């Protein structure tokens, strides 16, 4: 078969093969394109982050005053939350954590659009949030999921939620004068959804128990910020290594919050703005009309507004500062149909209602222990035996008698506490 | 004159691609997906139930829950269901066959005897594959639209953020989404074209392209490989859903289109380097 050489149709189109050199030169084009692209992708973020901004130096006290005196009450931005507790990633089917965080309040917790079943997914993996706020009464938080979104809108006493994944809505009426100082975005159901909410919780607790220093500057979401470092002091058992808060130099608003464990490694909790604008969001942002055909679940007054825990379920607190251990009597929690302990990490204390109850009807501790057995380990001490769940930050110990010890402390500290309580 | 000639070449190429039985069969399969999904949702929600078993309902493709409320969402659900495999597989078949099929069938040398120039022939081949991308996507979208309007109520569109937009705006967004989905296939089309210039067997080129697609899709789901995932061509495919947010989020869409353009540039130029320097023996 005769070789057909490439034709030469026009003189300006040199298509003829010119030996190996030309061949190599032509293959150089895709390689060069790929190389330039790789270099651009690698360099552009590096250039954007280049150099920490130089700001006038401040003391930690001045910076804390600045945070407290911050007058910024409006925000519109994108927040990235990354949580790495060392738990298995449940974000795909968050039924387990959803069940964990859902208190046995009946009714309202059943809706997939209820805040309790949605916000707990923030406890694993990485999530992108859209946050808008206009004063303490009007807030909107959207969890951006692939091809889906969960929006939580608060306008005065009206709380609306819409979950596009299930096409369902949730509505609740809050008691009129809710917490005045909620900050931007707030900590809905104990899960902080803005760096400011996280920083507020920590700085409140850090007073007098920590060393607070200013450690240079950083650039967060295109703004220059001071880096505030909170290190636990007088605490031997805590698993918290250090907390780093980037504070906007202009407004005093915390822009980024990073918690690293004492054991080192990746941050356990990292929440920061990737884009932020302190202007007033459009008024329409905070109005919600349930779309036609969408099922709306009416919630009872959500637990976030008032948290006097039911009788008997109130956690007892052992120790102080960073070594604090919460002690929860889970058998009492069951009787109280506990609404109290559904906030944040204390969500471990609430029973998972979807879990098959072990044994007889009074399933409170049965539920919890069935759950803990799933990814816990057996421990024993002079208190008897129990099940311990270990994460990179929070440890929990459930004794076979039904008492739950929980805290950001080492497992041995929990065992000691249980021994002492015997 | 040259432009005129190229257009004639493109037209004959398009006629060849779209009149093949294979192409028509692919369109038939693609059009059948919305029909299947629509009938399944219709049967399951007959008594006012919801789709999917679990409370979170995140096992099926995106947008499935909204279909029973608004037939327009069948278009989105069908595109979301076909984008991961069906559509790129069809593109892989057509792109893989484009040059290698001609070489295997012995017709490539006759094409090159004509005063077309190899570069221009390759551009025309790629253009016809891209045209197939657009038509294949529109087939899915239109089939979804017709089935959705026939089986379900249609009205104001609820965005993912829970706001409501009029149906006309929703239709406009649907068109935009169809174009974005077609644009998402630019990368694999270039990849298929490159593979097609490497071999003389059309079947081998198709199998390689589809195999690459499946491999890349699997790699994209392994969490431990998250470092390379932003560089894989299907990584931002679902970003078309951002059109349905309020406000629309453009970052993911821009990343997707940029990545597709990069794949088109790299594999398009690789195909050019290969095709203009090889000896055509068949």
């Amino acid at each position: 078969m005769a070789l057909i050489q490439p034709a030469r149709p026009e003189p300006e189109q040199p298509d003829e093969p010119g030996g190996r050199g030309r061949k190599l030169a032509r293959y150089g084009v895709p390689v060069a394109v790929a190389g330039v692209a790789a270099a651009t992708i690698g360099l552009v973020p590096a250039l954007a982050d280049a150099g920490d901004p130089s700001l006038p130096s401040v003391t930690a006290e001045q910076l804390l005053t600045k945070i407290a005196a911050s007058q910024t009450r409006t925000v519109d931005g994108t927040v990235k939350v990354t949580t790495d507790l060392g738990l298995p990633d449940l974000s795909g089917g968050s039924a387990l954590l959803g069940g964990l965080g859902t208190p046995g309040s009946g009714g309202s917790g059943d809706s997939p659009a209820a805040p309790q079943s949605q916000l707990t997914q923030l406890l694993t993996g990485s999530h992108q949030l859209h946050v808008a706020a206009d004063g303490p009464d009007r807030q909107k938080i959207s969890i951006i999921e692939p091809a889906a979104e969960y929006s939580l809108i608060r306008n005065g006493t009206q709380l609306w939620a819409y979950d596009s994944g299930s096409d369902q809505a949730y509505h609740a009426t809050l008691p009129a004068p809710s917490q005045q100082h909620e900050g931007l975005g707030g900590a809905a159901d104990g899960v902080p959804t803005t760096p400011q909410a996280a920083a507020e919780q920590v700085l409140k607790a850090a007073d007098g128990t920590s060393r607070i220093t200013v450690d240079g500057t950083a650039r967060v979401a295109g703004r220059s910020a001071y880096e505030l470092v909170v290190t636990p002091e007088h605490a031997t058992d805590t698993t918290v290594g250090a907390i780093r808060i980037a504070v906007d130099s202009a407004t005093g608003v915390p822009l980024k919050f990073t918690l690293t464990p004492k054991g080192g490694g990746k941050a356990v909790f990292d929440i920061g703005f990737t884009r932020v604008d302190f202007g007033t969001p459009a008024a329409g942002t905070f109005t919600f009309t349930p779309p036609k055909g969408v099922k709306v679940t009416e919630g009872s007054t959500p637990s976030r507004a008032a948290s006097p825990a039911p009788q008997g379920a109130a956690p007892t607190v052992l120790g102080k500062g960073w070594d604090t251990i919460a002690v929860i009597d889970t058998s009492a929690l069951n009787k109280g149909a506990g609404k109290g302990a559904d906030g944040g990490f204390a969500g471990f204390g609430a029973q998972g209602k979807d879990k098959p109850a072990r044994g007889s009807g009074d399933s409170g501790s049965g539920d919890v222990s069935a759950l803990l057995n799933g990814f816990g380990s057996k421990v024993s001490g002079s208190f008897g035996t129990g099940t311990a769940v270990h994460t990179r930050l929070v440890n929990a110990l459930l004794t076979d008698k039904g008492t739950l010890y929980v805290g950001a402390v080492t497992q041995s500290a929990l065992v000691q506490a249980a021994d002492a309580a015997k | 004159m040259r432009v005129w000639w190229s257009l004639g070449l493109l037209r004959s190429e398009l006629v060849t691609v779209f009149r093949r039985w294979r192409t028509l069969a692919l369109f038939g399969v693609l059009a059948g997906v919305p029909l299947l999904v629509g009938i399944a949702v219709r049967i399951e929600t007959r008594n006012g139930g919801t789709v999917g078993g679990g409370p979170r309902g995140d096992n099926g493709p995106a947008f499935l829950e909204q279909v029973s409320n608004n037939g327009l969402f069948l278009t989105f659900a069908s595109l979301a269901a076909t984008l991961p495999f069906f559509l790129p597989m069809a593109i892989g078949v057509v792109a893989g066959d484009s040059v290698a099929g001609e070489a295997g069938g012995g017709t490539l040398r006759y094409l090159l005897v004509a005063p077309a120039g190899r570069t221009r022939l390759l551009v025309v081949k790629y253009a016809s594959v891209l045209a197939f991308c657009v038509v294949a996507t529109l087939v899915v979208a239109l089939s979804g639209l017709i089935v959705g309007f026939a089986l379900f109520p249609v009205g104001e569109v609820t965005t993912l953020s829970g706001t409501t937009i009029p149906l006309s705006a929703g239709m406009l967004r649907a068109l935009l989404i169809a174009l974005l989905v077609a644009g998402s296939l630019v990368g694999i089309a270039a990849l298929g074209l490159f593979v097609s210039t490497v071999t003389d067997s059309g079947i081998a080129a198709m199998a390689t392209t589809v195999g690459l697609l499946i491999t890349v899709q699997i790699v994209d789901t392994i969490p431990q490989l998250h470092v390379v995932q932003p560089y894989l061509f299907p990584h931002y495919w679902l970003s078309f859903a951002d059109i349905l947010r309020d406000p629309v989020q453009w970052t993911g869409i821009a990343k997707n289109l940029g990545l597709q353009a990069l794949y088109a540039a790299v594999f398009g130029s690789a195909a050019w380097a290969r095709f203009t320097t090889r000896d055509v023996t068949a």
Side-chain angles (χ1 to χ4, degrees):
Chain A
M1 190 172 277
L3 287 187
I4 302 249
Q5 295 297 323
R8 195 194 306 183
E10 291 98 12
E12 72 267 32
Q13 201 169 351
D15 270 355
E16 77 280 8
R20 299 193 65 81
R22 164 148 299 177
K23 205 166 180 168
L24 273 180
R26 296 212 162 170
Y27 276 111
V29 176
V31 174
V33 172
V36 168
T40 317
I41 293 167
L43 277 181
V44 168
L47 287 175
D49 291 343
D52 293 337
S54 61
L55 298 165
S57 63
V58 292
T59 65
E61 286 73 34
Q62 283 170 326
L63 200 52
L64 288 173
T65 318
K66 196 179 178 78
I67 297 173
S70 173
Q71 289 301 311
T72 310
R73 288 287 172 266
T74 56
V75 73
D76 189 348
T78 310
V79 173
K80 193 175 180 220
V81 187
T82 308
T83 315
D84 184 5
L85 282 168
L87 287 173
D89 185 8
L90 303 164
S91 56
S94 59
L96 183 59
L97 273 184
L100 264 173
T102 309
S105 52
S108 70
D110 291 336
S111 167
Q116 296 93 322
S117 42
Q118 286 283 342
L119 290 168
T120 38
Q121 66 169 295
L122 298 178
L123 293 181
T124 53
S126 194
H127 299 271
Q128 201 195 356
L129 268 63
H130 223 153
V131 178
D134 182 6
D137 289 336
R138 308 208 299 163
Q139 293 139 3
K140 176 174 181 178
I141 300 159
S142 310
I143 305 175
I144 311 283
E145 299 157 47
E149 195 169 321
Y150 175 73
S151 312
L152 188 64
I153 301 154
R154 178 170 163 217
N155 194 345
T157 59
Q158 300 300 304
L159 182 76
W160 281 100
Y162 175 72
D163 175 38
S164 83
S166 59
D167 201 23
Q168 290 197 25
Y170 172 90
H171 175 246
T173 309
L174 302 167
S178 57
Q179 297 108 306
Q180 271 311 299
H181 191 68
E182 180 115 23
L184 304 177
D189 277 293
V191 185
T193 51
T194 61
Q196 190 182 39
E200 256 170 28
Q201 287 184 359
V202 161
L203 291 178
K204 217 181 286 168
D207 199 22
T209 61
S210 321
R211 190 157 44 86
I212 303 180
T213 51
V214 178
D215 180 29
T217 60
R219 193 166 282 281
V220 179
R223 301 180 68 93
S224 25
Y226 291 104
E227 293 251 76
L228 194 67
V229 179
V230 179
T231 325
E233 261 187 343
H234 320 298
T236 47
D237 296 329
T238 184
T239 48
V240 177
I243 292 160
R244 190 169 272 270
I245 302 166
V247 182
D248 186 31
S249 61
T251 60
V253 174
L255 296 176
K256 192 169 165 64
F257 176 99
T258 313
L259 193 157
T260 40
K262 208 176 225 170
K266 270 198 300 181
V268 168
F269 190 59
D270 185 280
I271 175 168
F273 281 106
T274 52
R275 182 188 66 80
V276 68
D277 177 8
F278 292 113
T280 310
T285 311
F286 306 106
T287 54
F288 182 82
T289 326
K292 213 171 113 253
V294 168
K295 183 185 164 212
V296 179
T297 309
E298 281 293 328
S300 49
T301 306
S303 51
R304 64 195 286 244
S307 291
Q311 284 296 316
T316 329
V317 174
L318 297 177
K320 58 177 172 38
W322 295 96
D323 286 344
T324 303
I325 297 170
V327 185
I328 302 156
D329 189 355
T330 52
S331 51
L333 186 77
N334 184 45
K335 289 182 204 112
K339 250 190 185 184
D342 70 322
F345 302 125
F348 279 107
Q351 75 239 43
K353 61 186 326 202
D354 296 335
K355 296 292 148 310
R358 283 203 321 181
S360 56
D362 65 335
S363 55
S365 60
D367 274 354
V368 177
S369 56
L371 189 63
L372 292 186
N373 283 334
F375 51 111
S377 56
K378 284 273 168 223
V379 284
S380 56
S382 56
F383 66 91
T385 55
T387 311
V389 172
H390 172 76
T391 74
R392 295 179 62 219
L393 181 69
V394 178
N395 286 310
L397 168 67
L398 179 73
T399 64
D400 289 346
K401 296 182 189 95
T403 314
L404 181 72
Y405 296 85
V406 131
V409 295
T410 58
Q411 190 172 308
S412 55
L414 290 177
V415 174
Q416 274 170 25
D419 284 346
K422 177 175 58 117
Chain B
M1 202 58 205
R2 279 177 58 187
V3 177
W4 193 244
W5 209 94
S6 297
L7 280 178
L9 187 63
L10 179 62
R11 207 187 56 191
S12 76
E13 184 63 35
L14 287 177
V15 169
T16 321
V17 168
F18 284 100
R19 275 176 66 184
R20 260 191 206 128
W21 280 109
R22 183 198 299 156
T23 312
L24 297 179
L26 283 174
F27 285 155
V29 170
L30 287 172
V33 171
L35 192 65
L36 272 178
V37 173
I39 291 173
V41 171
R42 177 83 180 151
I43 290 172
E44 202 164 338
T45 58
R46 201 172 26 188
N47 304 319
T50 56
V51 195
R56 294 265 298 123
D58 47 9
N59 297 322
F63 306 117
L64 213 54
E65 287 284 345
Q66 288 102 319
V67 170
S68 57
N69 271 341
N70 193 333
L72 185 59
F73 272 89
L74 186 61
T75 306
F76 308 140
S78 311
L79 286 173
T82 48
L83 183 54
F85 286 109
F86 275 108
L87 273 174
M89 241 144 113
I91 307 305
V93 167
V94 171
D97 191 52
S98 59
V99 177
E102 303 263 15
T107 45
L108 185 57
R109 50 183 162 158
Y110 298 113
L111 274 176
L112 292 178
V113 167
R118 291 189 176 194
T119 308
R120 202 165 337 152
L121 181 64
L122 196 69
V123 170
V124 165
K125 286 280 182 195
Y126 191 49
S128 69
V129 175
L130 292 186
F132 178 81
C133 292
V134 175
V135 175
T137 313
L138 288 180
V139 164
V140 177
L142 278 178
S143 164
L145 203 64
I146 293 166
V147 176
F149 276 49
L151 292 182
F152 303 101
V154 174
E156 288 186 320
V157 179
T158 308
T159 63
L160 292 181
S161 312
T163 55
T164 309
I165 56 171
L167 182 62
S168 55
M171 299 277 277
L172 206 64
R173 293 197 191 197
L175 180 67
L176 202 55
I177 281 179
L179 291 178
L180 274 178
V181 169
S184 302
L185 300 167
V186 165
I188 184 156
L191 188 64
L193 187 72
F194 169 63
V195 173
S196 187
T197 59
V198 174
T199 170
D200 277 351
S201 157
I203 301 290
M206 289 181 213
T208 309
T209 312
V210 174
L212 275 173
L213 165 77
I214 294 170
T215 313
V216 167
Q217 287 282 48
I218 291 171
V219 168
D220 203 27
T221 59
I222 301 175
Q224 282 76 12
L225 298 174
H226 65 94
V227 184
V228 295
Q229 282 170 2
Y231 304 102
L232 303 178
F233 60 88
H235 189 67
Y236 298 108
W237 272 357
L238 260 188
S239 69
F240 76 81
D242 291 351
I243 291 282
L244 286 175
R245 297 187 201 280
D246 190 21
V248 176
Q249 302 237 306
W250 294 105
T251 26
I253 295 167
K255 273 183 189 167
N256 181 28
L257 293 181
L259 195 62
Q260 301 306 324
L262 182 63
Y263 268 81
V266 171
F267 286 101
S269 57
W272 168 78
R274 165 74 188 164
F275 190 56
T276 52
T277 55
R278 73 186 270 206
D279 291 334
V280 175
T281 55

